[in-house]
Amino acid sequence: ILKKNIKLKVSNSALRTVDYKGGLDNFLKTVKPYKLSKKAKGYKNKIISKAWLLMIKIREKLFLLLAILMASVVALSNYLVQFPINYFGLENILTYGAFSYPVAFLITDLSNRRYGKNIAKKIVYLGFALGIFLTLYFSTNYSDLISIRIAIGSGTAFLVAQLIDVHIFDRLRKKIWFIAPLTSSLIGSSIDTFLFFSISFYGTGVNWVTLSFGDLSVKIFVALAMLIPFRLLLYRIQEISSSNKKINV
């Protein structure tokens, strides 16, 4: 991790331990300081410091990536919700936005599992700000009142539903792995759907109640499907958490 050669005097037993630990970096990070020489302690501190800096950089990049993904999903969903699915008689009950929006809850729940409640909220706030900007810039027709109401409804519904999702997930995080993401996503999706459609389409002549139920039924199906990538990514998160614990030693 220091990207340079170092010289240390070690015993044969220490060499075997280094080999067993998978290299000098892992050995120095895990060995107790009192067992090391002054020079070895110095290298140990440098390795731990460098590892922490790398971890912080990765964390910051991942934080920003999650927020950008969140904003992109919101902006895309706000655009797609304007287009009903004109197949199989679904034009009065379903829009394309129902298929993309549940991904936002996947991002929130993974952030909550990886970083905790407070960081997940920050990702929601940043995603909200970026999402509103993208929606207003790319998807909003300012000469169309419904388009403006969609932007307002989207922002309101997103922020309320996502913060509720974060809270519910945090309360259920110690349950079996699928309980927290599934429960929080279902409740969050329900709140988001009815808030969004009522704010965006109430009193416009659009059959928003029927649309909201059709939209919600697809979101429930997608929320169930999202358990598969959540489980796969959760395994990866657990591996990263194990690596971080090694650094803490």
Side-chain angles (χ1 to χ4, degrees), residues 215-235:
D215 186 89
L216 180 59
S217 63
V218 172
K219 285 180 178 176
I220 291 173
F221 172 78
V222 177
L224 291 169
M226 286 294 102
L227 288 175
I228 298 174
F230 180 86
R231 181 58 174 171
L232 295 175
L233 292 169
L234 179 61
Y235 176 75

Side-chain angles (χ1 to χ4, degrees), residues 182-193:
L182 183 59
T183 304
S184 60
S185 294
L186 292 179
I187 294 175
S189 294
S190 300
I191 293 171
D192 174 86
T193 298

Side-chain angles (χ1 to χ4, degrees), residues 108 123 148 155 215:
T108 303
I123 290 176
I148 296 173
D215 186 89

Side-chain angles (χ1 to χ4, degrees), residues 30-44:
T30 56
V31 69
K32 299 298 181 181
Y34 70 86
K35 294 183 178 180
L36 298 174
S37 65
K38 183 177 180 180
K39 186 176 182 181
K41 287 179 183 177
Y43 285 125
K44 175 183 174 71

